[in-house]
Amino acid sequence: MRRRKFIAHLLSALVTWPVAARAQTVIRVRRIGVLSNSAEEDAEAAKRLAALKLRLQELGWIEGKNLQIEVRFGHNDGERIRRAATELIEVAPDRTVRLGRIEIPKQDFLTPDRQYECEHMMFNPWNCLEQHRPLGSINRMRLAVYLASLQLRQKLNMVAS
């Protein structure tokens, strides 16, 4: 009789085990950190963030359900961007995304110093570290050709060496 009870309990445990195991599954919430170099009010940054959220939603990641997005703004200020990046690191997201663009100010390339540097520039494999320089007699001949072409170019451009 005890053997029958034992088998009955064992079978009931085996039948209910998958149900109990499924009932205990916990949805893991993924965390994404977003670092933007612009301000919260910036319309372009808001569009980028909305596009990111929309694409994540299309992939099945719903904010508040299985996804948490941490957004920090830098206001185009290097120090604020560093602080925002530090905050994001402390939050420890699963992934970090940077939204924004790099703005390089307009540069004037027609200054006399720049023109002098361009005219005296020499592109060849010997403009490198000593241990990476080409070896052999053919490469020594190539160096002579590079130097000769530099001198010819300077002569044709009427530039003093």
Side-chain angles (χ1 to χ4, degrees):
M1 190 66 167
R2 289 195 311 198
R3 189 171 68 189
R4 284 185 188 167
K5 282 186 180 181
F6 174 75
I7 291 173
H9 286 291
L10 183 63
L11 287 175
S12 65
L14 288 174
V15 170
T16 58
W17 187 333
V19 175
R22 271 183 268 143
Q24 293 178 4
T25 55
V26 176
I27 297 174
R28 180 169 178 224
V29 177
R30 302 288 181 160
R31 296 167 70 139
I32 295 180
V34 178
L35 177 60
S36 177
N37 64 342
S38 48
E40 293 97 332
E41 312 78 53
D42 186 12
E44 192 66 29
K47 279 192 234 176
R48 287 190 198 112
L49 188 59
L52 173 69
K53 289 179 180 180
L54 180 65
R55 182 63 182 137
L56 287 169
Q57 200 170 36
E58 289 170 1
L59 294 171
W61 297 99
I62 300 163
E63 191 174 8
K65 185 176 180 183
N66 60 357
L67 180 69
Q68 180 180 352
I69 299 177
E70 297 285 338
V71 183
R72 301 291 185 275
F73 295 92
H75 299 271
N76 283 326
D77 178 22
E79 186 56 38
R80 287 182 85 166
I81 291 171
R82 271 188 226 94
R83 282 197 311 263
T86 304
E87 286 177 22
L88 276 178
I89 290 169
E90 290 171 0
V91 170
D94 295 310
R95 292 283 182 263
T96 304
V97 179
R98 190 189 80 63
L99 294 179
R101 63 177 174 264
I102 298 173
E103 294 181 18
I104 301 172
K106 183 179 176 183
Q107 299 176 10
D108 185 15
F109 288 102
L110 298 177
T111 63
D113 291 339
R114 295 265 183 172
Q115 287 179 343
Y116 179 82
E117 288 172 8
C118 288
E119 289 301 328
H120 291 84
M121 199 176 286
M122 184 172 81
F123 298 100
N124 69 46
W126 287 267
N127 289 340
C128 62
L129 297 172
E130 180 79 35
Q131 59 267 30
H132 297 292
R133 289 198 178 139
L135 301 173
S137 58
I138 293 176
N139 284 314
R140 282 194 294 277
M141 180 55 76
R142 284 176 61 201
L143 178 59
V145 171
Y146 282 124
L147 293 173
S149 69
L150 172 68
Q151 291 170 351
L152 178 63
R153 190 180 80 216
Q154 288 176 345
K155 180 180 174 186
L156 292 174
N157 290 336
M158 293 178 249
V159 174
S161 299

